[in-house]
Amino acid sequence: MARTSDADLVPQELRVLVAVADAGGFSAAADTLGLTQSGVSRSVRGSERKIGAVLFERGRTGARPTPAGEKAVAHARRVLRLLDVLTAEARGAARSDAPEGPLRIAAFRSAALHLLPPVLRRLRARHPGIEPRVRIVREVGRGTAGEVADGKADLAIATLGGSASLPPGLVASGLLEEPYALVHATGHAAPRSLPLIDWTENCGSCTRDWWAAQDWIPRATVEAEDDGAVLSLVSGGHGMAIMPALSLTGAPHSVEITDLGPGRPTRRIGYVTTSELAGSAVVRALVRELRATAPHGVRLLGGDA
């Protein structure tokens, strides 16, 4: 059997790195782990020596990961999660059990509200041992995929396509395609003349070219926090909006949804996970349920990688 090198980080050292990053300091991390502050400090110094880089900036207010530390902590989270999965799946295989254990999901708001609930109901019914944990993450910047890259989620429901490249070590697959539509207060005679209401997560790379070609769309005069607030403002007669189908699920009767025609933009929704977790039983179980779900107004995609 191969021996562990003195230069290898052991799981406890990885747990200390993650705890310091999450807690924002050595003392708080020590409380979380049930260790002394000096023990945490010793562990971090040992990890830095093995890696050959400073992982945390120390200061009066605590400790903050350096760029090298951010990389190390992200990998530490992913390695620790794989160790958990290894244990759970090995035990399950020995007992011929169904998949079990936590399943961490990151999703943007409309996916969490309208796509995941029926998926999770079926998942729990078929695999009661799986414990889904959902976090809503804004789909801006690194978005939900960034949560997977950082080891904070096992799978993300994400917007696919566009110019943003997938972080290394991640895999993605399309699930559904949703069209955009014009939404405005019911009964308005000239909805395209209304002011535009928008929100930060809307109209990314998937709609940019179409949006730029529409000379009837004004600059947004109202910026809302999320798509729910946009829909509420539209319902109240404060303007129009251009929104994807998931955001319009369950829209009130006080709004009217108008098709934008054959050239309308669409948004491609899929899942992102790590190459290691893609084959785990809990992730495979969730993906099966995701592929069986087609919310009203969207089109299911095949299992492309």
Side-chain angles (χ1 to χ4, degrees):
M1 182 178 296
R3 296 178 58 189
T4 301
S5 166
D6 290 341
D8 292 337
L9 271 66
V10 298
Q12 180 60 11
E13 289 174 310
L14 301 181
R15 292 187 185 95
V16 169
L17 295 181
V18 171
V20 172
D22 288 347
F26 288 12
S27 297
D31 291 341
T32 300
L33 296 168
L35 301 173
T36 63
Q37 180 179 345
S38 60
V40 168
S41 181
R42 238 184 347 264
S43 178
V44 171
R45 285 199 306 272
S47 296
E48 290 177 328
R49 185 172 59 254
K50 292 177 180 180
I51 293 172
V54 176
L55 303 180
F56 292 95
E57 295 177 357
R58 284 82 157 169
R60 293 181 181 177
T61 58
R64 186 176 62 182
T66 62
E70 290 176 353
K71 292 279 188 183
V73 169
H75 284 294
R77 286 195 182 101
R78 288 165 63 171
V79 169
L80 290 171
R81 178 61 178 137
L82 282 177
L83 290 175
D84 291 341
V85 170
L86 180 155
T87 302
E89 297 208 352
R91 286 175 179 166
R95 300 192 304 255
S96 298
D97 285 348
E100 61 180 31
L103 176 59
R104 305 169 305 161
I105 305 165
F108 54 90
R109 183 183 179 277
S110 59
L113 289 179
H114 307 302
L115 174 62
L116 282 179
V119 169
L120 297 183
R121 278 195 298 271
R122 288 200 310 274
L123 184 71
R124 286 192 175 100
R126 296 181 184 181
H127 304 289
I130 294 180
E131 305 161 18
R133 301 171 185 175
V134 179
R135 290 182 63 239
I136 297 179
V137 177
R138 286 168 63 82
E139 190 69 326
V140 293
R142 298 174 74 236
T144 59
E147 297 293 294
V148 176
D150 291 344
K152 296 177 180 178
D154 302 326
L155 180 144
I157 307 299
T159 304
L160 303 183
S163 57
S165 58
L166 208 60
L170 302 192
V171 294
S173 185
L175 292 169
L176 53 91
E177 190 172 22
E178 55 173 344
Y180 280 75
L182 173 65
V183 57
H184 53 89
T186 300
H188 197 283
R192 294 192 177 201
S193 67
L194 291 168
L196 178 67
I197 304 171
D198 208 2
W199 76 104
T200 307
E201 292 174 85
N202 195 28
C203 301
S205 56
C206 51
T207 63
R208 191 174 293 121
D209 292 342
W210 177 89
W211 198 283
Q214 311 305 308
D215 57 8
W216 59 274
I217 303 179
R219 295 178 67 88
T221 54
V222 179
E223 283 277 348
E225 179 65 21
D226 56 44
D227 53 350
V230 170
L231 201 54
S232 178
L233 288 165
V234 170
S235 176
H238 299 285
M240 65 165 178
I242 296 167
M243 305 180 73
L246 276 180
S247 296
L248 295 173
T249 303
H253 295 300
S254 53
V255 303
E256 186 174 336
I257 299 168
T258 302
D259 194 304
L260 289 168
R264 65 190 179 188
T266 59
R267 181 168 70 167
R268 190 164 173 259
I269 305 299
Y271 70 85
V272 175
T273 187
T274 66
S275 53
E276 301 90 357
L277 287 174
S280 67
V282 288
V283 167
R284 288 202 315 269
L286 176 60
V287 169
R288 281 194 295 270
E289 300 306 332
L290 284 167
R291 292 211 176 282
T293 299
H296 178 70
V298 303
R299 180 173 68 86
L300 276 176
L301 297 175
D304 56 311

